Amino acid sequence: MDFLTLIQVLDSTVRLATPLLLACLAGLFSERAGIFDIGLEGKMLMAAFFSAAVAATTGNVWLGLLAGIASSLVLSGLHGLASITFRGNQLISGVAINFLAAGMTVLIAQDWFQQGGRTPSLFSGGRFEPLNLPFADALADVPVLGPIYSELLSGHSVLVYLAFLAVPATAWILFGTRFGLRLRAVGENPAAVDTAGVSVVGLRYAAVMICGLLCGIAGAYLATALQAGFVKDMTAGRGFIALAALIFAKWRPWHALGACLLFGLLQAVALRFQNIEIGTFVIPVQMMDALPYILTVVILAGFVGKAVPPKAGGEPYVKER
């Protein structure tokens, strides 16, 4: 593999890791507050559809982004209502959101556009265009550093840069602010937070809404930046991969970045190299495509070490009278 090919693989890694990173950070906020959310997949899918549908209808990608975020927030509100207000089973609520999104997106798309459950292809104005960083073209011919800056760091959409900036922002919010301290305390010992006079319900709803916001951006990125429109089940298990990355990272923001980049790299390698030869043995493309999902199963099965979730995770809080 030459240097330019390596840069191209890493460039694809960044693009493919972006929706995983946003969804992973979304789950991080929710689960740190004690609300398990396996509905990340459904919220991303719903956001992908509405962002593409509105962008195709209006020709404005920013309106599409707002529509995607709004649809994801609605599903987050439903999840919060079921698991926080009515103290229902959080896992079942998440599964219901995934099924709801999978069915509704195709049904509405078929009724709206009559294109077999997909949206029309998006063109300029309806998609996020790549941003060229300052001096990217001028530095392109500089050995080593030039291609890294012009090809790897430059040329991504605004949502890619937003996703990577969200990592230090998340770390600062969770570990450097009073809100973050309370949010983490709610996931560990909600009774102590309640005793201190802080609303457990309010904090958990705030975490669920932040989760919806980030999932909305992730879904919009899939349909309006990574691809040019919505197709059925286009999230392709990314919500579950993000959950695996979250467990792999042990609910820490910077570790989540590394885990998502690892999954993105596996996807990029599978797309770039159809068959990999190791001596006389050839790894088929189907094996490479399955690698991210195999790693997901390995992580969820606990083969990467013990990951201890927040102590109050998955448990509804009942206020003592």
Side-chain angles (χ1 to χ4, degrees):
M1 183 189 298
D2 59 19
F3 181 68
L4 202 54
T5 302
L6 176 62
I7 292 295
Q8 291 171 347
V9 170
L10 293 178
D11 179 68
S12 297
T13 297
V14 170
R15 298 175 192 274
L16 293 169
T18 295
L20 299 178
L21 179 58
L22 287 165
C24 188
L25 294 176
L28 177 62
F29 274 101
S30 182
E31 297 197 7
R32 277 286 189 170
I35 303 296
F36 288 162
D37 192 353
I38 61 172
L40 301 176
E41 178 90 0
K43 287 195 276 287
M44 290 172 64
L45 188 62
M46 190 70 81
F49 166 69
F50 276 102
S51 61
V54 172
T57 304
T58 64
N60 190 319
V61 69
W62 292 102
L63 290 178
L65 174 62
L66 291 177
I69 292 173
S71 65
S72 179
L73 287 174
V74 168
L75 292 184
S76 286
L78 288 175
H79 183 55
L81 189 67
S83 58
I84 300 172
T85 302
F86 296 120
R87 306 189 188 101
N89 188 294
Q90 298 172 10
L91 299 181
I92 292 176
S93 174
V95 170
I97 286 174
N98 289 336
F99 282 126
L100 180 68
M104 281 190 63
T105 50
V106 176
L107 180 66
I108 299 173
Q110 177 59 25
D111 183 67
W112 194 342
F113 300 107
Q114 288 86 42
Q115 294 191 12
R118 59 188 297 160
T119 64
S121 296
L122 301 177
F123 299 101
S124 180
R127 293 192 66 196
F128 282 103
E129 300 294 338
L131 296 178
N132 286 324
L133 297 180
F135 311 112
D137 295 332
L139 297 174
D141 295 329
V142 176
V144 183
L145 294 180
I148 291 176
Y149 182 74
S150 62
E151 298 291 336
L152 180 57
L153 299 181
S154 179
H156 300 288
S157 72
V158 65
L159 296 185
V160 173
Y161 300 111
L162 179 64
F164 281 84
L165 287 174
V167 177
T170 298
W172 176 73
I173 290 171
L174 286 178
F175 300 102
T177 66
R178 181 180 299 179
F179 171 76
L181 175 63
R182 290 174 173 176
L183 194 73
R184 288 183 287 122
V186 161
E188 297 293 338
N189 192 342
V193 175
D194 193 21
T195 303
V198 179
S199 172
V200 172
V201 171
L203 280 170
R204 286 188 165 179
Y205 263 109
V208 167
M209 289 298 110
I210 294 172
C211 174
L213 171 67
L214 292 172
C215 281
I217 298 173
Y221 172 79
L222 281 175
T224 60
L226 189 63
Q227 299 184 34
F230 173 84
V231 295
K232 179 183 177 183
D233 295 331
M234 70 181 303
T235 46
R238 285 182 173 90
F240 299 107
I241 293 176
L243 280 176
L246 180 59
I247 295 171
F248 191 24
K250 295 180 171 62
W251 295 271
R252 292 172 292 185
W254 288 107
H255 295 74
L257 172 60
C260 291
L261 286 174
L262 172 61
F263 280 107
L265 177 62
L266 292 176
Q267 292 179 338
V269 169
L271 289 174
R272 179 75 185 183
F273 303 102
Q274 295 301 301
N275 293 297
I276 295 181
E277 296 183 7
I278 302 177
T280 58
F281 181 72
V282 178
I283 302 177
V285 63
Q286 292 83 0
M287 180 65 182
M288 298 303 300
D289 288 335
L291 270 181
Y293 304 98
I294 294 172
L295 184 58
T296 300
V297 173
V298 168
I299 290 172
L300 294 178
F303 290 113
V304 295
K306 188 177 182 181
V308 181
K311 292 179 182 178
E315 297 295 330
Y317 176 67
V318 181
K319 186 179 179 71
E320 294 183 2
R321 298 293 181 184

